[in-house]
Amino acid sequence: MAPIELTYLSGPEIDELALSNDQILDSVTAVLAAQGRRETVIEPRMHLFPRGAGGHFNVLRGATPELAGDKDVGDYVEKHRQGQPSELALLLLMDPSTGVPVAILDATAITEMRTGAVTAIGAQHLARADSRTLAHIGSRGTADWNVRLLCHVLPGLEEIRVHSRRPDSRDAFARRLSADLNREVRAVASWEECVRGADVVVEATRLTEPEPLLQTSWIAPGALVIPYGTVSAVALDLTDAMDKIVVDDWGQAGVGPLGALRAHVDSGRLSEANLHAELGQIVCGDRPGREHEDETILFWHRGLSITDIALGQTLLAKALAHGAGTPLPYRR
């Protein structure tokens, strides 16, 4: 039997590879377009809830034309008390034509980058081009890349407000981004102060139980609203106020016990009948994005395995070109 060797990329190695904003966005845009052309496979995510644990595991599976992959994410909200990220992840990449394992990557940063990329690409197609105000609820995990990449694709953003449950967390988040982006990022004390009147609203909370903290009356006409918390923090009538609703993948939007719009699907407020499009259909040109300045649009993304795979492929290629990564013998 021919020997098989894997490449392992650790978190520090991925940090050192330092993908640029454009490299991240280009990788994710390309795979979303492939999804829109029905060239990918996405299996709805699965959840594993260990008995007596204070969290759960998300299992994401998919395939692009180049690679198949499986990502496992431990999602434990209170891990910040231990000085660790709420989400820690591993990504396994395999050759889809032979089934041979190719690489294992620390996917913690990949999860954050690809989430921010999908948020930003959604805004490219669905936000008003002259958007000036960003409201971001949530300050951990994926929040950093959301704001960074939104500022990259919407250069007209002038006011950035952030809010989260813990003052120390949101204040540190605002200070760090202000320094890194060389622009003011302002931490505010309430949901309403953050959200009311904003052009782009991102809800990325870390609730343990559903609670309608984001009120529909605060949403300005013509705004883009992007809720993607694991547990819902939005009012049930939010979808009623929207001119268009877009998701990342309808196949996984309608299954599982979690998600920002879980109750909206279960109650029939969101269905395939009133869904405007999947983002991939818009990216590949099959469906329109924003068509009028006064459209109020909602974009719900739960996270796509294929975006993890695409970024994993980009990182692996860059690592091999720079001699990074650890070879692991699989079969000899």
Side-chain angles (χ1 to χ4, degrees), residues 298-324:
L298 186 148
F299 171 43
W300 178 30
H301 62 92
R302 297 199 65 197
L304 295 177
S305 56
I306 57 170
T307 59
D308 295 300
I309 294 166
L311 272 185
Q313 180 180 2
T314 299
L315 282 161
L316 182 60
K318 189 170 183 179
L320 295 177
H322 288 79

PDB file of all heavy atoms in Angstrom, residues 298-324:
ATOM      1  N   LEU A 298     -33.213  41.048   5.461  1.00  0.00           N
ATOM      2  CA  LEU A 298     -32.661  40.199   6.511  1.00  0.00           C
ATOM      3  C   LEU A 298     -31.816  39.104   5.872  1.00  0.00           C
ATOM      4  O   LEU A 298     -32.242  38.463   4.913  1.00  0.00           O
ATOM      5  CB  LEU A 298     -33.785  39.582   7.352  1.00  0.00           C
ATOM      6  CG  LEU A 298     -33.354  38.774   8.586  1.00  0.00           C
ATOM      7  CD1 LEU A 298     -34.396  38.904   9.685  1.00  0.00           C
ATOM      8  CD2 LEU A 298     -33.153  37.292   8.260  1.00  0.00           C
ATOM      9  N   PHE A 299     -30.620  38.903   6.408  1.00  0.00           N
ATOM     10  CA  PHE A 299     -29.743  37.832   5.960  1.00  0.00           C
ATOM     11  C   PHE A 299     -29.385  36.959   7.154  1.00  0.00           C
ATOM     12  O   PHE A 299     -28.726  37.406   8.092  1.00  0.00           O
ATOM     13  CB  PHE A 299     -28.483  38.398   5.309  1.00  0.00           C
ATOM     14  CG  PHE A 299     -27.425  37.363   5.008  1.00  0.00           C
ATOM     15  CD1 PHE A 299     -27.764  36.133   4.461  1.00  0.00           C
ATOM     16  CD2 PHE A 299     -26.086  37.617   5.264  1.00  0.00           C
ATOM     17  CE1 PHE A 299     -26.785  35.169   4.196  1.00  0.00           C
ATOM     18  CE2 PHE A 299     -25.105  36.678   5.004  1.00  0.00           C
ATOM     19  CZ  PHE A 299     -25.458  35.440   4.471  1.00  0.00           C
ATOM     20  N   TRP A 300     -29.827  35.715   7.131  1.00  0.00           N
ATOM     21  CA  TRP A 300     -29.575  34.771   8.225  1.00  0.00           C
ATOM     22  C   TRP A 300     -28.564  33.739   7.762  1.00  0.00           C
ATOM     23  O   TRP A 300     -28.824  32.997   6.827  1.00  0.00           O
ATOM     24  CB  TRP A 300     -30.886  34.085   8.623  1.00  0.00           C
ATOM     25  CG  TRP A 300     -30.758  33.041   9.703  1.00  0.00           C
ATOM     26  CD1 TRP A 300     -29.859  32.998  10.715  1.00  0.00           C
ATOM     27  CD2 TRP A 300     -31.595  31.894   9.863  1.00  0.00           C
ATOM     28  NE1 TRP A 300     -30.078  31.898  11.512  1.00  0.00           N
ATOM     29  CE2 TRP A 300     -31.144  31.207  11.014  1.00  0.00           C
ATOM     30  CE3 TRP A 300     -32.682  31.374   9.156  1.00  0.00           C
ATOM     31  CZ2 TRP A 300     -31.738  30.030  11.472  1.00  0.00           C
ATOM     32  CZ3 TRP A 300     -33.277  30.203   9.611  1.00  0.00           C
ATOM     33  CH2 TRP A 300     -32.810  29.551  10.752  1.00  0.00           C
ATOM     34  N   HIS A 301     -27.416  33.700   8.409  1.00  0.00           N
ATOM     35  CA  HIS A 301     -26.473  32.634   8.071  1.00  0.00           C
ATOM     36  C   HIS A 301     -26.138  31.815   9.313  1.00  0.00           C
ATOM     37  O   HIS A 301     -25.872  32.352  10.387  1.00  0.00           O
ATOM     38  CB  HIS A 301     -25.227  33.155   7.361  1.00  0.00           C
ATOM     39  CG  HIS A 301     -24.360  34.122   8.111  1.00  0.00           C
ATOM     40  ND1 HIS A 301     -23.286  33.721   8.873  1.00  0.00           N
ATOM     41  CD2 HIS A 301     -24.389  35.472   8.187  1.00  0.00           C
ATOM     42  CE1 HIS A 301     -22.675  34.786   9.374  1.00  0.00           C
ATOM     43  NE2 HIS A 301     -23.329  35.852   8.988  1.00  0.00           N
ATOM     44  N   ARG A 302     -26.162  30.507   9.136  1.00  0.00           N
ATOM     45  CA  ARG A 302     -25.893  29.577  10.228  1.00  0.00           C
ATOM     46  C   ARG A 302     -24.467  29.038  10.183  1.00  0.00           C
ATOM     47  O   ARG A 302     -24.009  28.410  11.129  1.00  0.00           O
ATOM     48  CB  ARG A 302     -26.876  28.407  10.179  1.00  0.00           C
ATOM     49  CG  ARG A 302     -28.330  28.813  10.386  1.00  0.00           C
ATOM     50  CD  ARG A 302     -29.157  27.603  10.779  1.00  0.00           C
ATOM     51  NE  ARG A 302     -28.718  27.088  12.077  1.00  0.00           N
ATOM     52  CZ  ARG A 302     -29.015  25.863  12.524  1.00  0.00           C
ATOM     53  NH1 ARG A 302     -29.713  25.040  11.760  1.00  0.00           N
ATOM     54  NH2 ARG A 302     -28.601  25.468  13.705  1.00  0.00           N
ATOM     55  N   GLY A 303     -23.764  29.265   9.077  1.00  0.00           N
ATOM     56  CA  GLY A 303     -22.401  28.763   8.938  1.00  0.00           C
ATOM     57  C   GLY A 303     -22.340  27.594   7.979  1.00  0.00           C
ATOM     58  O   GLY A 303     -23.050  26.610   8.140  1.00  0.00           O
ATOM     59  N   LEU A 304     -21.489  27.708   6.970  1.00  0.00           N
ATOM     60  CA  LEU A 304     -21.414  26.710   5.911  1.00  0.00           C
ATOM     61  C   LEU A 304     -20.112  25.929   5.979  1.00  0.00           C
ATOM     62  O   LEU A 304     -19.024  26.517   6.000  1.00  0.00           O
ATOM     63  CB  LEU A 304     -21.515  27.379   4.538  1.00  0.00           C
ATOM     64  CG  LEU A 304     -22.831  28.063   4.190  1.00  0.00           C
ATOM     65  CD1 LEU A 304     -22.730  28.731   2.826  1.00  0.00           C
ATOM     66  CD2 LEU A 304     -23.978  27.075   4.205  1.00  0.00           C
ATOM     67  N   SER A 305     -20.220  24.612   5.941  1.00  0.00           N
ATOM     68  CA  SER A 305     -19.033  23.758   5.914  1.00  0.00           C
ATOM     69  C   SER A 305     -18.131  24.088   4.732  1.00  0.00           C
ATOM     70  O   SER A 305     -16.895  24.045   4.842  1.00  0.00           O
ATOM     71  CB  SER A 305     -19.458  22.291   5.846  1.00  0.00           C
ATOM     72  OG  SER A 305     -20.301  22.055   4.714  1.00  0.00           O
ATOM     73  N   ILE A 306     -18.713  24.427   3.605  1.00  0.00           N
ATOM     74  CA  ILE A 306     -17.899  24.660   2.413  1.00  0.00           C
ATOM     75  C   ILE A 306     -17.023  25.908   2.542  1.00  0.00           C
ATOM     76  O   ILE A 306     -15.962  25.991   1.912  1.00  0.00           O
ATOM     77  CB  ILE A 306     -18.761  24.748   1.134  1.00  0.00           C
ATOM     78  CG1 ILE A 306     -19.812  25.853   1.254  1.00  0.00           C
ATOM     79  CG2 ILE A 306     -19.389  23.397   0.809  1.00  0.00           C
ATOM     80  CD1 ILE A 306     -20.538  26.155  -0.040  1.00  0.00           C
ATOM     81  N   THR A 307     -17.442  26.879   3.367  1.00  0.00           N
ATOM     82  CA  THR A 307     -16.590  28.049   3.571  1.00  0.00           C
ATOM     83  C   THR A 307     -15.390  27.696   4.452  1.00  0.00           C
ATOM     84  O   THR A 307     -14.291  28.218   4.253  1.00  0.00           O
ATOM     85  CB  THR A 307     -17.381  29.220   4.173  1.00  0.00           C
ATOM     86  OG1 THR A 307     -17.945  28.835   5.429  1.00  0.00           O
ATOM     87  CG2 THR A 307     -18.497  29.655   3.227  1.00  0.00           C
ATOM     88  N   ASP A 308     -15.591  26.800   5.423  1.00  0.00           N
ATOM     89  CA  ASP A 308     -14.459  26.285   6.204  1.00  0.00           C
ATOM     90  C   ASP A 308     -13.482  25.548   5.297  1.00  0.00           C
ATOM     91  O   ASP A 308     -12.261  25.718   5.391  1.00  0.00           O
ATOM     92  CB  ASP A 308     -14.960  25.320   7.284  1.00  0.00           C
ATOM     93  CG  ASP A 308     -15.821  25.990   8.330  1.00  0.00           C
ATOM     94  OD1 ASP A 308     -15.332  26.912   8.996  1.00  0.00           O
ATOM     95  OD2 ASP A 308     -16.984  25.583   8.488  1.00  0.00           O
ATOM     96  N   ILE A 309     -14.023  24.718   4.416  1.00  0.00           N
ATOM     97  CA  ILE A 309     -13.186  23.933   3.510  1.00  0.00           C
ATOM     98  C   ILE A 309     -12.404  24.853   2.573  1.00  0.00           C
ATOM     99  O   ILE A 309     -11.210  24.657   2.342  1.00  0.00           O
ATOM    100  CB  ILE A 309     -14.055  22.938   2.718  1.00  0.00           C
ATOM    101  CG1 ILE A 309     -14.649  21.895   3.675  1.00  0.00           C
ATOM    102  CG2 ILE A 309     -13.248  22.251   1.624  1.00  0.00           C
ATOM    103  CD1 ILE A 309     -15.782  21.075   3.056  1.00  0.00           C
ATOM    104  N   ALA A 310     -13.068  25.866   2.038  1.00  0.00           N
ATOM    105  CA  ALA A 310     -12.402  26.783   1.109  1.00  0.00           C
ATOM    106  C   ALA A 310     -11.259  27.524   1.790  1.00  0.00           C
ATOM    107  O   ALA A 310     -10.153  27.655   1.225  1.00  0.00           O
ATOM    108  CB  ALA A 310     -13.410  27.771   0.534  1.00  0.00           C
ATOM    109  N   LEU A 311     -11.497  28.034   3.005  1.00  0.00           N
ATOM    110  CA  LEU A 311     -10.415  28.726   3.708  1.00  0.00           C
ATOM    111  C   LEU A 311      -9.323  27.753   4.130  1.00  0.00           C
ATOM    112  O   LEU A 311      -8.129  28.081   4.101  1.00  0.00           O
ATOM    113  CB  LEU A 311     -10.968  29.458   4.935  1.00  0.00           C
ATOM    114  CG  LEU A 311     -11.463  30.874   4.715  1.00  0.00           C
ATOM    115  CD1 LEU A 311     -11.853  31.510   6.038  1.00  0.00           C
ATOM    116  CD2 LEU A 311     -10.428  31.732   4.017  1.00  0.00           C
ATOM    117  N   GLY A 312      -9.718  26.539   4.518  1.00  0.00           N
ATOM    118  CA  GLY A 312      -8.717  25.521   4.835  1.00  0.00           C
ATOM    119  C   GLY A 312      -7.830  25.228   3.646  1.00  0.00           C
ATOM    120  O   GLY A 312      -6.598  25.084   3.783  1.00  0.00           O
ATOM    121  N   GLN A 313      -8.421  25.145   2.454  1.00  0.00           N
ATOM    122  CA  GLN A 313      -7.645  24.898   1.236  1.00  0.00           C
ATOM    123  C   GLN A 313      -6.683  26.048   0.964  1.00  0.00           C
ATOM    124  O   GLN A 313      -5.512  25.828   0.607  1.00  0.00           O
ATOM    125  CB  GLN A 313      -8.585  24.708   0.051  1.00  0.00           C
ATOM    126  CG  GLN A 313      -7.878  24.436  -1.262  1.00  0.00           C
ATOM    127  CD  GLN A 313      -8.858  24.246  -2.410  1.00  0.00           C
ATOM    128  OE1 GLN A 313     -10.067  24.342  -2.243  1.00  0.00           O
ATOM    129  NE2 GLN A 313      -8.336  23.966  -3.593  1.00  0.00           N
ATOM    130  N   THR A 314      -7.142  27.285   1.126  1.00  0.00           N
ATOM    131  CA  THR A 314      -6.278  28.447   0.901  1.00  0.00           C
ATOM    132  C   THR A 314      -5.118  28.469   1.884  1.00  0.00           C
ATOM    133  O   THR A 314      -3.957  28.727   1.504  1.00  0.00           O
ATOM    134  CB  THR A 314      -7.106  29.736   1.022  1.00  0.00           C
ATOM    135  OG1 THR A 314      -8.133  29.735   0.019  1.00  0.00           O
ATOM    136  CG2 THR A 314      -6.246  30.975   0.848  1.00  0.00           C
ATOM    137  N   LEU A 315      -5.395  28.177   3.153  1.00  0.00           N
ATOM    138  CA  LEU A 315      -4.350  28.153   4.164  1.00  0.00           C
ATOM    139  C   LEU A 315      -3.356  27.020   3.905  1.00  0.00           C
ATOM    140  O   LEU A 315      -2.143  27.196   4.055  1.00  0.00           O
ATOM    141  CB  LEU A 315      -4.974  27.997   5.548  1.00  0.00           C
ATOM    142  CG  LEU A 315      -5.593  29.267   6.130  1.00  0.00           C
ATOM    143  CD1 LEU A 315      -6.567  28.926   7.244  1.00  0.00           C
ATOM    144  CD2 LEU A 315      -4.495  30.198   6.639  1.00  0.00           C
ATOM    145  N   LEU A 316      -3.876  25.860   3.511  1.00  0.00           N
ATOM    146  CA  LEU A 316      -2.997  24.718   3.251  1.00  0.00           C
ATOM    147  C   LEU A 316      -2.052  25.023   2.090  1.00  0.00           C
ATOM    148  O   LEU A 316      -0.850  24.730   2.156  1.00  0.00           O
ATOM    149  CB  LEU A 316      -3.833  23.481   2.958  1.00  0.00           C
ATOM    150  CG  LEU A 316      -3.072  22.178   2.705  1.00  0.00           C
ATOM    151  CD1 LEU A 316      -2.234  21.803   3.920  1.00  0.00           C
ATOM    152  CD2 LEU A 316      -4.049  21.058   2.351  1.00  0.00           C
ATOM    153  N   ALA A 317      -2.583  25.608   1.026  1.00  0.00           N
ATOM    154  CA  ALA A 317      -1.742  25.950  -0.124  1.00  0.00           C
ATOM    155  C   ALA A 317      -0.654  26.958   0.263  1.00  0.00           C
ATOM    156  O   ALA A 317       0.511  26.830  -0.135  1.00  0.00           O
ATOM    157  CB  ALA A 317      -2.607  26.508  -1.250  1.00  0.00           C
ATOM    158  N   LYS A 318      -1.020  27.961   1.064  1.00  0.00           N
ATOM    159  CA  LYS A 318      -0.042  28.960   1.482  1.00  0.00           C
ATOM    160  C   LYS A 318       0.997  28.328   2.408  1.00  0.00           C
ATOM    161  O   LYS A 318       2.196  28.637   2.326  1.00  0.00           O
ATOM    162  CB  LYS A 318      -0.741  30.123   2.173  1.00  0.00           C
ATOM    163  CG  LYS A 318       0.171  31.313   2.445  1.00  0.00           C
ATOM    164  CD  LYS A 318      -0.602  32.528   2.916  1.00  0.00           C
ATOM    165  CE  LYS A 318       0.331  33.723   3.100  1.00  0.00           C
ATOM    166  NZ  LYS A 318      -0.405  34.935   3.547  1.00  0.00           N
ATOM    167  N   ALA A 319       0.557  27.426   3.286  1.00  0.00           N
ATOM    168  CA  ALA A 319       1.482  26.750   4.193  1.00  0.00           C
ATOM    169  C   ALA A 319       2.499  25.914   3.434  1.00  0.00           C
ATOM    170  O   ALA A 319       3.710  25.967   3.716  1.00  0.00           O
ATOM    171  CB  ALA A 319       0.698  25.870   5.172  1.00  0.00           C
ATOM    172  N   LEU A 320       2.034  25.151   2.468  1.00  0.00           N
ATOM    173  CA  LEU A 320       2.949  24.303   1.699  1.00  0.00           C
ATOM    174  C   LEU A 320       3.932  25.143   0.886  1.00  0.00           C
ATOM    175  O   LEU A 320       5.098  24.775   0.730  1.00  0.00           O
ATOM    176  CB  LEU A 320       2.144  23.369   0.800  1.00  0.00           C
ATOM    177  CG  LEU A 320       1.263  22.334   1.539  1.00  0.00           C
ATOM    178  CD1 LEU A 320       0.447  21.512   0.548  1.00  0.00           C
ATOM    179  CD2 LEU A 320       2.110  21.441   2.424  1.00  0.00           C
ATOM    180  N   ALA A 321       3.454  26.294   0.394  1.00  0.00           N
ATOM    181  CA  ALA A 321       4.344  27.176  -0.380  1.00  0.00           C
ATOM    182  C   ALA A 321       5.424  27.800   0.494  1.00  0.00           C
ATOM    183  O   ALA A 321       6.506  28.145  -0.002  1.00  0.00           O
ATOM    184  CB  ALA A 321       3.518  28.273  -1.053  1.00  0.00           C
ATOM    185  N   HIS A 322       5.140  27.923   1.804  1.00  0.00           N
ATOM    186  CA  HIS A 322       6.101  28.559   2.712  1.00  0.00           C
ATOM    187  C   HIS A 322       6.785  27.545   3.630  1.00  0.00           C
ATOM    188  O   HIS A 322       7.482  27.933   4.578  1.00  0.00           O
ATOM    189  CB  HIS A 322       5.388  29.618   3.561  1.00  0.00           C
ATOM    190  CG  HIS A 322       4.993  30.846   2.802  1.00  0.00           C
ATOM    191  ND1 HIS A 322       3.872  30.907   1.987  1.00  0.00           N
ATOM    192  CD2 HIS A 322       5.579  32.073   2.704  1.00  0.00           C
ATOM    193  CE1 HIS A 322       3.777  32.098   1.446  1.00  0.00           C
ATOM    194  NE2 HIS A 322       4.792  32.825   1.856  1.00  0.00           N
ATOM    195  N   GLY A 323       6.580  26.276   3.375  1.00  0.00           N
ATOM    196  CA  GLY A 323       7.227  25.259   4.189  1.00  0.00           C
ATOM    197  C   GLY A 323       6.686  25.155   5.594  1.00  0.00           C
ATOM    198  O   GLY A 323       7.380  24.675   6.505  1.00  0.00           O
ATOM    199  N   ALA A 324       5.466  25.596   5.810  1.00  0.00           N
ATOM    200  CA  ALA A 324       4.849  25.530   7.134  1.00  0.00           C
ATOM    201  C   ALA A 324       4.035  24.247   7.272  1.00  0.00           C
ATOM    202  O   ALA A 324       3.753  23.556   6.294  1.00  0.00           O
ATOM    203  CB  ALA A 324       3.955  26.746   7.360  1.00  0.00           C
TER     204      ALA A 324
END
